Amino acid sequence: KSMANMAMVLPLIFDLHSDSIRPRHWKQLAGVCNVNTVDPSESKFTLQDMLRLNLDRHKDKIEEIVEAAMKELKIEKKLAEIETFWTAMELTYSPHKNTEMHVPQPSEELLETMEAHQMELQSIYGMGKFMEYFKNRVVEWQNVLRTVDDTLKMWTAVSRDWISLESIFLASADIRSQLPEDTKRFEGIDSEFKELMKDAISEVNCVNVCSVEGRCEALKGMRERLEVCQ
């Protein structure tokens, strides 16, 4: 190899030695260099094997592979961060008055991170070809966090309305006699909500408890009926 060629090839080899390069990128490199495989993880693979690839002839395409790998690594790390956070994140509950009943009380950390991660996933989704390899995971987490967000908002609203109306319908005999239909309606919701809470409180993981099939729809139904009682 001439000195000029080596001056071009060595920086490319250095770039390809990056932590961001994954097996799929070596496969792309093999395609660019018109060889069957490029596998540096093989014990017999040497610098000479790299030099035989004539990397200087494919400089632009190799730089594209390296650039994509670096951007993909950022996406990979961000997705791992999101997955780690929500795998461990718990939904906390606060006791209602001096009873055994609890209502959800999402932490500030949960709510702030929810908003931040949704924005970051939207940003990743907008990265086009660099996102393509991770598209299924990105879409899956967008759907998961949308479900958690929708469920928590509805759950918080139902809890607030239930607390407000409980003191009216269950504590006042006058109201119960004056509004028998609303009282009956609220008693039905009260029973349903307490049953939901009894079932929910045994699951601490936020994603799991908010992703129970039909949970968000059940809360929406309660919310609509509570609004009729108000």
Side-chain angles (χ1 to χ4, degrees):
K1 289 280 183 183
S2 70
M3 289 297 291
N5 279 356
M6 288 299 286
M8 191 182 295
V9 168
L10 290 177
L12 293 174
I13 292 175
F14 179 79
D15 288 344
L16 288 166
H17 191 60
S18 165
D19 289 341
S20 64
I21 303 295
R22 299 285 182 264
R24 65 182 181 275
H25 301 121
W26 292 117
K27 193 173 180 180
Q28 290 167 14
L29 180 68
V32 165
C33 297
N34 298 310
V35 295
N36 289 331
T37 59
V38 178
D39 187 3
S41 65
E42 283 188 2
S43 57
K44 295 178 182 178
F45 194 87
T46 65
L47 176 61
Q48 200 60 39
D49 293 316
M50 286 294 283
L51 295 175
R52 286 195 198 100
L53 295 173
N54 296 311
L55 300 178
D56 50 302
R57 297 179 187 174
H58 314 286
K59 181 175 181 290
D60 290 346
K61 288 186 176 178
I62 292 169
E63 286 176 346
E64 283 179 18
I65 291 172
V66 171
E67 181 196 5
M70 290 173 71
K71 290 187 177 178
E72 287 171 10
L73 180 61
K74 289 181 180 177
I75 294 173
E76 185 179 307
K77 286 181 175 179
K78 178 50 67 176
L79 286 175
E81 179 189 312
I82 289 171
E83 288 166 354
T84 298
F85 180 87
W86 292 103
T87 299
M89 190 66 209
E90 296 183 356
L91 177 60
T92 51
Y93 302 91
S94 61
H96 174 58
K97 296 180 180 175
N98 294 318
T99 69
E100 294 182 2
M101 180 66 173
H102 288 72
V103 291
Q105 189 174 40
S107 66
E108 283 297 315
E109 181 191 15
L110 189 159
L111 298 175
E112 288 172 5
T113 308
M114 164 81 69
E115 186 176 354
H117 283 172
Q118 284 181 311
M119 289 174 68
E120 285 164 350
L121 286 166
Q122 190 58 40
S123 176
I124 290 170
Y125 193 83
M127 290 177 72
K129 63 180 182 179
F130 302 114
M131 178 276 303
E132 205 58 41
Y133 180 78
F134 304 98
K135 185 174 182 179
N136 289 344
R137 277 170 73 192
V138 172
V139 171
E140 180 187 357
W141 275 103
Q142 282 183 314
N143 290 336
V144 166
L145 294 190
R146 190 179 300 115
T147 297
V148 173
D149 194 20
D150 290 348
T151 302
L152 281 179
K153 283 175 180 171
M154 192 57 58
W155 209 341
T156 303
V158 168
S159 300
R160 186 179 58 243
D161 290 349
W162 173 81
I163 289 169
S164 167
L165 292 172
E166 187 209 30
S167 59
I168 296 172
F169 286 106
L170 301 187
S172 171
D174 285 346
I175 294 290
R176 292 168 67 84
S177 62
Q178 290 171 23
L179 302 170
E181 287 187 18
D182 284 335
T183 298
K184 188 176 181 182
R185 185 181 293 111
F186 180 77
E187 285 175 343
I189 302 166
D190 178 66
S191 174
E192 196 177 328
F193 184 59
K194 285 176 177 174
E195 193 62 36
L196 183 148
M197 287 307 311
K198 184 180 175 183
D199 179 58
I201 205 165
S202 61
E203 171 60 72
V204 295
N205 180 266
C206 182
V207 170
N208 291 345
V209 78
C210 289
S211 301
V212 171
E213 189 175 354
R215 177 149 290 166
C216 192
E217 288 71 22
L219 288 163
K220 282 178 185 174
M222 290 183 212
R223 179 88 200 278
E224 288 167 4
R225 284 177 287 147
L226 283 166
E227 286 177 347
V228 174
C229 294
Q230 287 176 334

